[in-house]
Amino acid sequence: LGYYSQSTYTYIVLQWPRLLLLLTRRAAVNDAPSFVKGASTVTVLEDSDAYSSPWATNISEGPQETDQTVSFSISCSNATLFSAVPQLSPAGVLSFTPATAAFGSSVCNVTLVDSEGARSAPEQLTIVVTAGGFFGGYATKTLTCHHCWQHC
């Protein structure tokens, strides 16, 4: 625990003839962890493979709190969009897998939590899964028939 934010001090004054003793005690404060969020929106195609890419950076346990561990907490508004729900590794790597034939968006709230229970300010991430179309997102070719009475 660090002694940096809003420390609590207790003063005890003892006076004895010709002796003044001042004792101080500072209570440790658990500073909140912090991180820098990545892009506000991550977009993938429907039926795409598992997604995995760095998203959070500058991950910190808090000042002078390197003895603590941190983990991300992520909650999303549309869990049916995923066959594997979004997760963030302690290193900030975002991973998820879109559900088969599902498309739409999901707003996710992300916080970093340290081993003493302190939480960072929440950050928002929107994951968009776009419809891949009839051919699963592959480009389609348009055929033009110049002779409408013939089959093209």
Side-chain angles (χ1 to χ4, degrees):
L1 293 176
Y3 290 103
Y4 290 88
S5 298
Q6 302 175 358
S7 294
T8 302
Y9 294 90
T10 303
Y11 298 97
I12 301 171
V13 178
L14 300 173
Q15 186 175 4
W16 197 353
R18 298 187 191 163
L19 175 64
L20 177 64
L21 181 62
L22 175 64
L23 302 173
T24 63
R25 183 178 66 177
R26 183 167 45 178
V29 173
N30 185 18
D31 294 306
S34 63
F35 68 99
V36 174
K37 75 176 195 163
S40 295
T41 304
V42 171
T43 304
V44 297
L45 281 174
E46 154 191 30
D47 298 332
S48 60
D49 291 332
Y51 177 90
S52 181
S53 184
W55 183 77
T57 59
N58 296 334
I59 299 164
S60 171
E61 301 88 353
Q64 301 296 315
E65 296 185 352
T66 55
D67 59 325
Q68 294 186 27
T69 58
V70 293
S71 61
F72 283 96
S73 172
I74 182 167
S75 61
C76 298
S77 64
N78 186 1
T80 61
L81 198 57
F82 310 102
S83 62
V85 295
Q87 296 181 25
L88 275 160
S89 74
V93 176
L94 173 66
S95 60
F96 62 89
T97 304
T100 302
F103 57 91
S105 64
S106 184
V107 177
C108 303
N109 291 308
V110 180
T111 56
L112 186 62
V113 182
D114 70 22
S115 54
E116 296 294 324
R119 294 170 113 31
S120 68
E123 295 289 354
Q124 206 167 70
L125 161 67
T126 301
I127 299 174
V128 177
V129 179
T130 60
F134 182 74
F135 293 101
Y138 295 101
T140 58
K141 183 175 181 181
T142 303
L143 299 175
T144 304
C145 184
H146 295 285
H147 305 285
C148 295
W149 61 91
Q150 296 178 352
H151 295 285
C152 294

